[in-house]
Amino acid sequence: MPWQQLVADVASEIDDTTGLPAYREVVCTVPRQSGKTTMVLAYELHRALMWGRAQRIAYTAQTGFDARRKLIDDQAPILLGSPLAAAVEKVQKAQGNEAIVFRNGSRIDVLASSESAGHGRTLDLPILDEVFADVDDRREQALLPAMSTRPDAQLLVISTMGTESSTYLNRKVETGRAAVIDGLDTGIAYFEWSADIDADIDSPATWASCMPALGHTITLKTVEHARRTMSEGDFRRSMLNQKTISDERVIPIQLWEQICDDDVAPEGKLVFAVDINPDRTDAAIAVADQDGRGELVDYRPGVGWVADRLVELAQKWRAPVRLDAYSPAGSIADELTSRRINVERYSTREVSYACGTFFDGLMERKIQVRRHQALDNAAAGARRRTTGDSWVWARNSGDTDVAPLVALTLALDQRTKTSEPELWVDFG
C-alpha cells in the first residue's frame, strides 16, 4: 500500500556522505489493521537478505508471548508462502528460542520485553512493536546497547497510539513531531497517520484522513460497524490513532499497580482456574489461595496442552479446578472429571458474582496479584459485558485477550463451589 511504500522508501535512504542509513531511528504510528505486520516483515527481509552480510534482527512486542505469536504465527506463514521461502533455512518454534533462520546466516529472533533481553547480543535491527503498552523505556534500554558496535544499525518503533500512561510512545511521538517541525532529514524518520483531535469522528472524511488502509484492505462498512460497536475511546485509539485517557479503563491503573507485586506467592489451600479465549488460540491457568493472593500460572497458545497441565497441577496440590461451564473452557470439563479431577463448574450468574467480588476486592485492596505482563495487558484492556442486572468480563474486548483475567477472577472467588451448573437464561 502507498503508506507502506512511503515508510520503506524514506526509512531505507542512505546518507551519500557516510554510506550509512540516513536514519538511525524510525518511528511509525498508524491505526490498527493498517498492515503493520506486512510492513515490518518486508523491512526485516530487506535487512536479512539484501544487506550484503548476515544480519541479526530482534523482534519484540508487548510481551515475549505476543512477539512469538506475531513472528511465528503471523509473519512466518506469509514468508513461507512467498517466493522468498527458498531463502529460509528453518523456522525455530521451541519456546525461548523462536527465530527465523536464513540460509545466508541472517536471523530474526524473538526477544522478551525485559531489561536484560538484549544483554550479550549484537543487533543490526531491533524492532519494538506495539509500544503503546510500555509504561517505561525498558525495552529500548535493553536493545540500544546491542546496536552500539553496528554503525549501520537501525531501531524500528511501530505502534498504534496508546493512552496518557503510554509514556514511552508518547515521548517518541513528541520527539518525532518536533523533528518534522524542525525539518530534520537525518537521525530520526517519523511517520504518523492520525485524525485531528477536533475532527468529526463520525465523518467518512475524517476516516479517510487518517486510515491509510481505507480503500485497500479496509472498507467503509468495516469502519461503520466498528463505530457502532466500539466504545468512543476504543474507536478513537484503534481506528483514528488518537491518544486517549486511561480513565476509560475499567480497572484503574493506580489500583492495579497497588495490588500487583513481584513477590506475591499463593500458599496453603489452593484453587486453580482456567479460561480459553473465544478463538481457542490461547488459554490461561491461574491459582489463588484463601487469603486473596493470586497469580497466572500458565499462558500459552492453543488448547491441546491445557487438560494435561491442569491434571498435573490439581494432583500435585490436591486442588480443585474452576471454569466457566458455558465458555470455551467448558469443553474440557468432562475430560478433567473423567481423570478424577474435582471440577467446579460456574454458571454465567456465578461468573458474574465472581467478577463482582473480584472488583470489590480490587477496590478495597483485599487481593494481591503476582505481576505478569499478560495480566497487565488484560487489566488495561478489559471491558464489561452486561448480563441482566450484573456484568462479566467481555471476551471480545478489542485487541485484548482477557482469558488471564477471567482465570484469575475465578481462582480468587472465595465462595465454595461444588454444584453442577444451573440453567440460567440471560435476557440481557
Side-chain angles (χ1 to χ4, degrees):
M1 286 180 280
W3 83 267
Q4 296 167 320
Q5 190 66 61
L6 173 64
V7 174
D9 287 345
V10 176
S12 301
E13 290 178 359
I14 299 297
D15 188 305
D16 292 335
T17 303
T18 64
L20 299 175
Y23 304 101
R24 183 78 169 178
E25 181 175 321
V26 179
V27 179
C28 179
T29 175
V30 292
R32 286 186 58 210
Q33 302 301 317
S34 293
K36 295 196 305 298
T37 298
T38 306
M39 169 62 218
V40 170
L41 176 59
Y43 210 83
E44 292 168 336
L45 294 176
H46 180 259
R47 268 276 176 172
L49 302 177
M50 301 183 67
W51 211 255
R53 61 174 171 79
Q55 295 287 292
R56 292 295 179 266
I57 302 163
Y59 181 83
T60 71
Q62 304 100 303
T63 67
F65 176 82
D66 290 308
R68 180 197 190 283
R69 184 160 53 182
K70 275 285 188 180
L71 183 67
I72 303 302
D73 297 344
D74 294 347
Q75 293 185 7
I78 297 174
L79 171 58
L80 296 178
S82 77
L84 293 177
V88 179
E89 179 179 327
K90 59 183 175 180
V91 176
Q92 297 177 180
K93 297 184 178 181
Q95 190 169 1
N97 294 293
E98 300 92 338
I100 300 175
V101 182
F102 297 90
R103 298 186 187 279
N104 68 353
S106 295
R107 58 186 296 140
I108 307 171
D109 289 292
V110 168
L111 288 190
S113 303
S114 63
E115 295 179 3
S116 60
H119 289 190
R121 294 175 180 264
T122 300
L123 297 176
D124 299 289
L125 178 63
I127 296 166
L128 280 65
D129 195 2
E130 299 296 21
V131 295
F132 68 83
D134 292 23
V135 296
D136 54 35
D137 293 6
R138 72 181 65 185
R139 264 206 275 174
E140 181 177 287
Q141 291 171 354
L143 297 175
L144 283 183
M147 299 169 54
S148 59
T149 61
R150 297 293 206 197
D152 59 350
Q154 287 183 298
L155 176 71
L156 175 60
V157 180
I158 188 163
S159 181
T160 299
M161 289 291 187
T163 71
E164 60 190 18
S165 299
S166 306
T167 53
Y168 175 76
L169 175 58
N170 294 340
R171 180 171 62 81
K172 289 296 181 184
V173 169
E174 292 174 6
T175 301
R177 288 175 177 175
V180 172
I181 292 172
D182 292 341
L184 297 182
D185 57 3
T186 59
I188 299 175
Y190 180 74
F191 306 87
E192 177 184 333
W193 282 265
S194 61
D196 187 85
I197 194 64
D198 297 321
D200 179 3
I201 68 172
D202 295 313
S203 169
T206 299
W207 305 343
S209 73
C210 65
M211 297 182 187
L214 188 62
H216 297 277
T217 58
I218 297 178
T219 66
L220 278 175
K221 287 187 177 297
T222 300
V223 185
E224 289 169 355
H225 176 74
R227 181 67 185 102
R228 286 195 301 268
T229 58
M230 299 175 74
S231 69
E232 180 176 328
D234 284 344
F235 184 81
R236 285 183 178 276
R237 191 182 76 81
S238 299
M239 307 302 288
L240 304 185
N241 200 33
Q242 294 176 334
K243 182 176 73 172
T244 58
I245 59 173
S246 57
D247 288 345
E248 294 172 347
R249 290 176 52 132
V250 172
I251 299 178
I253 188 170
Q254 296 86 353
L255 284 179
W256 182 252
E257 290 292 332
Q258 288 175 15
I259 69 163
C260 289
D261 193 283
D262 292 332
D263 297 326
V264 173
E267 57 186 30
K269 188 176 181 180
L270 303 179
V271 174
F272 292 93
V274 60
D275 195 61
I276 298 172
N277 67 19
D279 296 330
R280 303 186 72 82
T281 56
D282 305 297
I285 299 174
V287 66
D289 61 25
Q290 290 187 319
D291 293 324
R293 292 185 291 257
E295 69 172 298
L296 187 63
V297 175
D298 221 329
Y299 179 48
R300 293 188 238 164
V303 298
W305 59 275
V306 179
D308 289 340
R309 179 64 168 143
L310 284 169
V311 170
E312 173 193 349
L313 292 168
Q315 289 179 343
K316 178 179 179 180
W317 298 99
R318 297 182 179 180
V321 173
R322 292 173 176 169
L323 53 80
D324 179 351
Y326 300 103
S327 75
S331 62
I332 65 172
D334 288 343
E335 179 181 354
L336 294 175
T337 300
S338 70
R339 297 172 70 173
R340 306 181 69 82
I341 300 302
N342 178 13
V343 179
E344 300 181 358
R345 308 181 192 218
Y346 274 58
S347 69
T348 306
R349 177 179 292 175
E350 290 164 333
V351 172
S352 73
Y353 290 159
C355 290
T357 56
F358 174 88
F359 197 78
D360 291 345
L362 170 72
M363 298 299 288
E364 297 170 12
R365 299 168 183 78
K366 291 183 177 179
I367 60 176
Q368 294 178 291
V369 177
R370 187 179 184 87
R371 185 174 296 283
H372 193 290
Q373 187 64 57
L375 282 173
D376 287 346
N377 293 343
R383 298 291 182 266
R384 294 186 178 110
R385 178 175 69 83
T386 301
T387 63
D389 294 329
S390 57
W391 59 271
V392 296
W393 297 123
R395 296 184 184 279
N396 296 312
S397 189
D399 56 357
T400 302
D401 184 3
V402 297
L405 182 62
V406 173
L408 181 69
T409 298
L410 296 183
L412 283 166
D413 187 30
Q414 294 295 316
R415 295 175 301 117
T416 300
K417 178 73 184 71
T418 56
S419 63
E420 290 296 313
E422 61 185 289
L423 178 63
W424 182 45
V425 180
D426 176 13
F427 292 101

